[in-house]
Amino acid sequence: MKLSTKGRYAVTAMMDLAIHDRDGPVTLADISNCQGISLSYLEQLFARLRQSGLVEGVRGPGGGYRLGKPSQQISVSDIIVAVDESIDNTRCKGNKDCNKGEKCLTHHLWNDLSERLYEFLDGISLAEFIKDPEVRKISRRQDSTASRIANMFPPRSKAS
Amino acid sequence: MKLSTKGRYAVTAMMDLAIHDRDGPVTLADISNCQGISLSYLEQLFARLRQSGLVEGVRGPGGGYRLGKPSQQISVSDIIVAVDESIDNTRCKGNKDCNKGEKCLTHHLWNDLSERLYEFLDGISLAEFIKDPEVRKISRRQDSTASRIANMFPPRSKAS
DNA sequence: TATAAAACCTACTAAATTAGTATGGATTAT
DNA sequence: ATAATCCATACTAATTTAGTAGGTTTTATA
């Protein structure tokens, strides 16, 4: 279990999808503008998310990405595991056979901790976030057609 | 809250100190040998840990590092915060004033998540790990004089 | 008191990861 | 046909992680 800005980008992008789930697909250009992440980098992240079945892409105009399954079934762990590579954290995987005895003891303890952390984040689903009162406000403000049209004239700050 | 191999090194090194707490100070050379981390890198990490009061150094022969406070009072969060720099994760700190409205909403949600994670890891102390049955076995095996002498003739693999 | 073990300190370099750029193709609504 | 969008690959830049090198200071102990 690793947690870096890369994972944060993926999680916040997925939150975005969850928030607008009923408004139809969200384009990466939107997320890029809204969250200040480069478009191509997002594409790389979403390639992974797609491979893991967490999102599905819709091609062509009006397309974008939408969640690959209900937000209740997508956990924070799922997202992080999808984008961060495996990390193979100790060689011996906590089997404590990598250097007989003490050397591996701390690896074993670390693996226990890592496992607890994973389970903790696995217990938090995307669905929890869209229940946030702030989210409901935003979400209500944008009916699907309005947001669709708005998406066609994005603010275009400077994020390519 | 960030979680990288750097944080892992610090946590496992601290576990080492906690395990051998009653055996007198543990040298960085030992940890370097046992865990395969370079000595100088450990020195850098321990400089931080010392600044945070999590460890105290004992100079001279027979010296090393020991815990700066009881293992019950040192949480995993404490350790990670000490070594990983702040990460200033979103500019606006979840105040949602960094770009009026939606842009910041996901930041806000991320901060909530980050906070929950922090609290989770803050609830796990070093003391919990040394209760592990494997640990007690190792710990019992090494009385203080034996380990002291052993430390003077380290295995010296290749870690400088 | 000389010696060596260790912490402590600083500057530099190497490796890995994260992030971004560039370019083009494939699909599809309009 | 056009343009919006996903999709894919290759490359570069920036940042972080990790290690190297060279010291100094402190201190137990022979």
Side-chain angles (χ1 to χ4, degrees), chain A residues 2-3 8 15 20 34-35 89 96 102-103 106 108-110 116-117 120 128 132 134 142, chain B residues 2-3 8 15 20 34-35 89 96 102-103 106 108 110 116-117 120 128 132 134 142:
Chain A
K2 194 167 89 171
L3 197 48
R8 192 187 84 217
M15 286 171 171
H20 297 107
C34 285
Q35 299 196 24
N89 75 52
K96 66 192 185 54
E102 182 171 5
K103 171 168 183 171
T106 51
H108 163 69
L109 294 176
W110 174 262
R116 286 170 68 176
L117 180 59
F120 175 71
E128 289 191 40
D132 185 293
E134 294 292 335
Q142 305 189 325
Chain B
K2 194 167 89 172
L3 198 47
R8 193 187 83 218
M15 286 171 173
H20 297 106
C34 286
Q35 299 195 25
N89 75 52
K96 62 192 186 56
E102 182 170 8
K103 171 170 186 171
T106 50
H108 163 70
W110 175 261
R116 286 170 68 175
L117 180 58
F120 175 71
E128 289 192 40
D132 186 292
E134 294 290 335
Q142 305 190 327

Side-chain angles (χ1 to χ4, degrees), chain B residues 74-137:
Chain B
I74 299 177
S75 75
V76 174
S77 285
D78 291 335
I79 299 169
I80 290 170
V81 166
V83 297
D84 285 334
E85 28 255 280
S86 57
I87 308 188
D88 80 313
N89 75 52
T90 48
R91 287 161 280 213
C92 68
K93 306 310 192 195
N95 297 327
K96 62 192 186 56
D97 54 357
C98 82
N99 204 323
K100 63 190 66 155
E102 182 170 8
K103 171 170 186 171
C104 238
L105 177 59
T106 50
H107 291 178
H108 163 70
L109 294 176
W110 175 261
N111 274 58
D112 283 354
L113 175 59
S114 192
E115 180 70 16
R116 286 170 68 175
L117 180 58
Y118 175 86
E119 280 162 11
F120 175 71
L121 293 177
D122 199 45
I124 302 178
S125 74
L126 276 184
E128 289 192 40
F129 293 103
I130 61 179
K131 289 186 301 195
D132 186 292
E134 294 290 335
V135 174
R136 304 192 76 82
K137 202 162 59 186

